Amino acid sequence: MRGPWVAPDCCGGFSNLDFRQADLRAMTRLLGYVDPSDDRFVAAVLAIAFNPLFWNVVARWEHKTRRLSRAFGSPRLACYALGGAVLLLNVLRSHCFTQAMLSQPRMESLDGRAAYGAGLALLAGGSVFVLSSFLALGFTGTFLGDYFGILMEARVTRFPFSVLDNPMYWGSTAVYLGWAVMHASPAGLLLTLVVAVIYKVAILFEEPFTAAIYRQKASQARRRS
């Protein structure tokens, strides 16, 4: 049954304008539940944005200066320290995310068993990607060991990298999305969008830099041979 906003195009389908109008109305309805000025919502946005900024700035600084490696006595210990800091920041981010959801209204259309089950499935699937990524990469591979000079021998291609690029990031995004759906939280859905955008920006910065590190490694190996 078509709603009043749907109009068929000349070929019997739906025009792009119809879908844009639908998306706009859905987003307007979603934003109607969210108070972006709430302190806990703002704190969640700041935590989401800060984490990738922190680990990229620190890791690039380490790559350029080797200050952390000298301070900790070895690149591996320095990488463990950065990884520990990132894990603590991720705990803080998840706490801020949850508090922002709990401080704002729930959406009735998501407040049911079916939606809860879908959210649980998203959370479980995302967790599988995050954990399997960690097992495939190891601690230093996960926490930017490349920037500390701890390079991997070959590109990881087994699951989950065989089915998805950057599975750690997108698995984490799915976890947040599932958590938001389970809580029937419009604020959580909006914050999940922020997570996805921030991760996309992080990927755009990280991938070229990491590729350059491995090109330099390959060039040095050729010169030695």
Side-chain angles (χ1 to χ4, degrees), residues 172-215:
S172 178
T173 303
V175 167
Y176 281 114
L177 178 58
W179 194 234
V181 172
M182 289 172 67
H183 283 78
S185 173
L189 295 176
L190 190 57
L191 288 171
T192 301
L193 178 60
V194 175
V195 170
V197 171
I198 293 296
Y199 275 158
K200 182 62 178 178
V201 172
I203 290 167
L204 293 176
F205 276 92
E206 289 173 14
E207 286 192 337
F209 196 83
T210 303
I213 291 174
Y214 280 92
R215 282 198 301 270

Side-chain angles (χ1 to χ4, degrees), residues 2-203:
R2 293 174 180 167
W5 54 269
V6 177
D9 62 18
C10 61
C11 299
F14 303 123
S15 68
N16 290 333
L17 180 59
D18 296 327
F19 286 113
R20 287 197 296 269
Q21 289 173 341
D23 291 341
L24 180 60
R25 291 191 181 194
M27 183 59 69
T28 301
R29 184 183 178 194
L30 176 64
L31 293 175
Y33 286 87
V34 180
D35 177 11
S37 65
D38 179 78
D39 290 345
R40 281 165 286 194
F41 186 87
V42 172
V45 171
L46 292 176
I48 290 167
F50 177 76
N51 286 13
L53 177 65
F54 169 78
W55 70 62
N56 273 287
V57 169
V58 173
R60 289 196 182 203
W61 174 71
E62 160 64 15
H63 182 264
K64 182 178 180 180
T65 67
R66 299 304 183 199
R67 294 280 183 86
L68 282 177
S69 293
R70 289 198 291 269
F72 284 91
S74 78
R76 194 168 293 275
L77 285 177
C79 183
Y80 289 159
L82 176 62
V86 170
L87 288 172
L88 290 175
L89 286 171
N90 285 347
V91 170
L92 176 61
R93 178 182 62 184
S94 296
H95 172 74
C96 291
F97 188 100
T98 301
Q99 291 303 308
M101 289 196 302
L102 296 178
S103 70
Q104 304 218 18
R106 296 167 67 93
M107 181 181 285
E108 291 182 4
S109 59
L110 283 177
D111 201 358
R113 289 184 179 179
Y116 187 89
L120 187 61
L122 282 166
L123 189 149
S127 297
V128 168
F129 277 103
V130 171
L131 293 175
S132 59
S133 297
F134 182 82
L135 292 175
L137 293 173
F139 191 95
T140 57
T142 298
F143 294 105
L144 300 174
D146 324 81
Y147 293 61
F148 292 79
I150 308 169
L151 304 182
M152 305 190 76
E153 292 300 322
R155 184 182 179 89
V156 177
T157 57
R158 65 179 182 273
F159 182 85
F161 295 89
S162 58
V163 299
L164 184 67
D165 290 333
N166 303 294
M168 180 75 73
Y169 283 162
W170 301 128
S172 178
T173 303
V175 167
Y176 281 114
L177 178 58
W179 194 234
V181 172
M182 289 172 67
H183 283 78
S185 173
L189 295 176
L190 190 57
L191 288 171
T192 301
L193 178 60
V194 175
V195 170
V197 171
I198 293 296
Y199 275 158
K200 182 62 178 178
V201 172
I203 290 167

